[in-house]
Amino acid sequence: MGLNIKVGAVGASMLLGITAIAPATIILTTPQTVEAAVATGRGTLAIGSRPAQTINRVTVDTIADNTAKLQLRASNGNQINFGGKWENGPQNQLLVTLTNSGNADASGIIVVTYRNGQLQSIFGGGKLDGQPFTIDFRR
């Protein structure tokens, strides 16, 4: 979340001999993207009994208000989007708890791994419109 701090000024009234210190005021602004990562590589997205899709590109956007957007690009041109909430995980990992997939319901956990500031892998699974799914992508 963007953060602007307006520090109170010391006000002095020479006429009344009063000095006042106004408290700091915190103004929250529109959330800003804190990290966006794109990686090309190879992986699969399997949903229910459908044939697995080959994933060749992923994008992960994390917003300061702890929302996350994941975009998977399949080799056939299909694009699959997920949204959720992120939190820091163990070393170099981000844990995303899914809340949606575009207009569809989604739940589950996706683990995003970074190395030297670069997106390395995405894996996890859950339910997508009531069907089990798994993602396994490596750079």
Side-chain angles (χ1 to χ4, degrees):
M1 201 172 291
L3 184 65
N4 291 332
I5 299 177
K6 179 181 172 186
V7 178
V10 174
S13 170
M14 299 304 281
L15 295 173
L16 299 175
I18 299 173
T19 302
I21 299 175
T25 303
I26 297 175
I27 302 166
L28 299 178
T29 59
T30 306
Q32 300 173 8
T33 300
V34 292
E35 182 153 3
V38 178
T40 55
R42 189 162 173 86
T44 57
L45 170 65
I47 303 172
S49 59
R50 300 182 212 171
Q53 295 185 57
T54 300
I55 304 299
N56 56 20
R57 179 183 165 111
V58 297
T59 303
V60 177
D61 290 319
T62 55
I63 312 297
D65 68 352
N66 287 80
T67 59
K69 296 177 183 177
L70 287 78
Q71 182 182 82
L72 311 176
R73 176 86 52 178
S75 58
N76 64 5
N78 285 347
Q79 181 176 300
I80 301 95
N81 297 304
F82 290 97
K85 292 286 189 182
W86 67 268
E87 64 182 78
N88 288 319
Q91 285 186 333
N92 301 317
Q93 290 186 339
L94 195 67
L95 306 176
V96 179
T97 302
L98 299 177
T99 58
N100 66 74
S101 176
N103 293 328
D105 291 330
S107 62
I109 301 286
I110 302 297
V111 178
V112 181
T113 304
Y114 293 89
R115 186 179 326 132
N116 298 326
Q118 294 187 350
L119 178 64
Q120 293 298 308
S121 66
I122 295 177
F123 61 91
K127 296 262 182 174
L128 178 60
D129 264 352
Q131 297 181 62
F133 79 93
T134 58
I135 297 171
D136 188 3
F137 173 87
R138 310 262 182 237
R139 183 179 198 99

